[in-house]
Amino acid sequence: MEVWRAPYLDVRLLVTYQSSHNYQSTRIHLNSQLGSRSFRLGLSNCRRSSLKSPMAGTAVVKGKGEVSVFDSEEELAVSLAKYTADLSNQICNERDSFTVVLSGGSLMKSLRKMLEPPLIDSVDWAKWRVFWVDERVVAKNHPDSNYLLAYTEFLSKVPIPAENVYAIDDALSAEGAADSYEAIIKHLVTTKVIDHSQTSGLPKFDLILLGMGPDGHVASLFPGHPLVQETNKWIAFIRDSPKPPPERITFTFPVINSAANIALVVAGLGKANAVSSALGHSDDPDILPVQLVAPEGELHWFLDKGAASKL
């Protein structure tokens, strides 16, 4: 795959579509400080999936990561599954664990294509180690639990050993659950189950699958909340979440940004404003949490047409 690498930070990405059944090319229009340019990406330039490959306009924007825009959420899900399976196979061929961090919300629905052949049979599930980037401090069988969502939609359908799934201790308070989860992760870094950043010494998860809310929040890091600025703790607790339930635990940005790979998965027209602020031009002086996602490793945006509609 060939991608265009933007030499300027002031870049806008606009993808025009044709329906997937008669796809010919994708036009990328770039507005930079030197004026406007546009060109076409032929079929060989676009990321493909072997599973009835969806076509995506893909570009690498300096300081923003790799951005792929899909004609539908269905095509996004196919590509996300292929991306995740390929990364899993690559890392499992190199070592004994693949550390994956899940989010709640619609992210779990977007992983559904991993449950279908041939991908479900190609993954070495026994090597997966599963964590959560944030969790609501509720019982595991509570409807608000991210664990319950992941178990119902995904974990119950793949043969990941139960001991490789690291949920929070739901018997503890928010503060206790955060401290306990941080202690578990520190132990797994010490025992080399989780890799660590050579730069910061923080945990370096192989893949964080990150969703985003319409307000631009990621994990349980909300616009204007003090936890967005937290730099000392690996795992923080929150008792006043602006989105219910109020008590949660969350990875902090230093840990999120130490990841080897982050897939930022965003679908739906309701999230288009936040995507535009993160990837396009914004006159809003307030920085959204999603704009602070800047991993040491690779960042790949997976957008559907609705989410990308205001770029």
Side-chain angles (χ1 to χ4, degrees):
M1 179 186 68
E2 298 177 11
V3 292
W4 182 84
R5 295 185 180 273
Y8 304 102
L9 290 174
D10 185 19
V11 172
R12 293 196 64 188
L13 173 69
L14 176 65
V15 183
T16 59
Y17 305 85
Q18 298 181 29
S19 61
S20 59
H21 66 274
N22 67 348
Y23 183 94
Q24 298 297 324
S25 64
T26 296
R27 179 174 292 279
I28 306 293
H29 184 79
L30 300 150
N31 295 318
S32 77
Q33 294 172 348
L34 297 183
S36 298
R37 300 171 55 196
S38 66
F39 59 96
R40 287 189 178 275
L41 296 178
L43 297 181
S44 63
N45 297 97
C46 297
R47 179 175 294 278
R48 297 186 178 205
S49 165
S50 61
L51 300 179
K52 298 181 180 178
S53 302
M55 296 301 178
T58 301
V60 175
V61 181
K62 188 176 181 181
K64 309 282 188 175
E66 184 172 308
V67 181
S68 296
V69 181
F70 298 88
D71 203 38
S72 67
E73 191 279 335
E74 178 76 6
E75 293 177 353
L76 181 158
V78 170
S79 187
L80 178 66
K82 180 70 164 53
Y83 165 87
T84 303
D86 286 349
L87 188 60
S88 171
N89 292 337
Q90 173 192 327
I91 291 173
C92 288
N93 285 335
E94 298 170 357
R95 57 180 191 270
D96 291 333
S97 64
F98 176 56
T99 54
V100 185
V101 183
L102 303 178
S103 302
S106 59
L107 185 280
M108 296 313 306
K109 176 186 174 185
S110 296
L111 283 177
R112 65 189 181 277
K113 294 296 181 179
M114 288 199 72
L115 303 175
E116 300 177 5
L119 291 187
I120 192 170
D121 301 315
S122 72
V123 171
D124 190 349
W125 298 106
K127 291 186 176 182
W128 275 45
R129 304 277 184 144
V130 177
F131 305 83
W132 277 264
V133 73
D134 72 326
E135 178 58 285
R136 292 85 180 270
V137 183
V138 295
K140 290 184 180 67
N141 61 356
H142 190 282
D144 288 331
S145 167
N146 284 342
Y147 168 84
L148 179 62
L149 176 65
Y151 181 81
T152 302
E153 298 289 334
F154 187 74
L155 296 176
S156 62
K157 301 172 183 179
V158 293
I160 299 173
E163 62 270 21
N164 289 1
V165 177
Y166 299 89
I168 69 167
D169 186 340
D170 58 358
L172 300 176
S173 66
E175 182 175 6
D179 289 345
S180 171
Y181 210 52
E182 181 169 318
I184 289 169
I185 291 173
K186 284 183 174 179
H187 173 72
L188 293 172
V189 171
T190 300
T191 56
K192 302 186 186 307
V193 173
I194 301 173
D195 198 5
H196 71 281
S197 166
Q198 297 294 328
T199 303
S200 65
L202 294 171
K204 186 177 182 178
F205 291 95
D206 296 318
L207 175 61
I208 297 181
L209 292 159
L210 202 59
M212 184 198 75
D215 61 354
H217 84 266
V218 294
S220 283
L221 299 167
F222 293 91
H225 196 280
L227 281 186
V228 171
Q229 306 301 326
E230 175 63 51
T231 58
N232 294 319
K233 290 182 175 294
W234 291 12
I235 312 295
F237 68 94
I238 178 172
R239 292 198 177 103
D240 58 348
S241 167
K243 180 181 178 183
E247 294 196 343
R248 300 160 176 247
I249 65 102
T250 182
F251 280 21
T252 58
F253 272 119
V255 173
I256 291 171
N257 286 334
S258 293
N261 299 277
I262 295 179
L264 236 170
V265 183
V266 188
L269 187 61
K271 300 180 180 182
N273 285 335
V275 170
S276 178
S277 293
L279 292 176
H281 290 284
S282 175
D283 296 325
D284 191 341
D286 295 326
I287 300 297
L288 298 179
V290 70
Q291 293 173 269
L292 300 177
V293 177
E296 291 181 13
E298 301 295 325
L299 173 60
H300 193 144
W301 290 76
F302 290 80
L303 307 174
D304 74 349
K305 186 165 56 175
S309 61
K310 295 188 178 181
L311 289 177

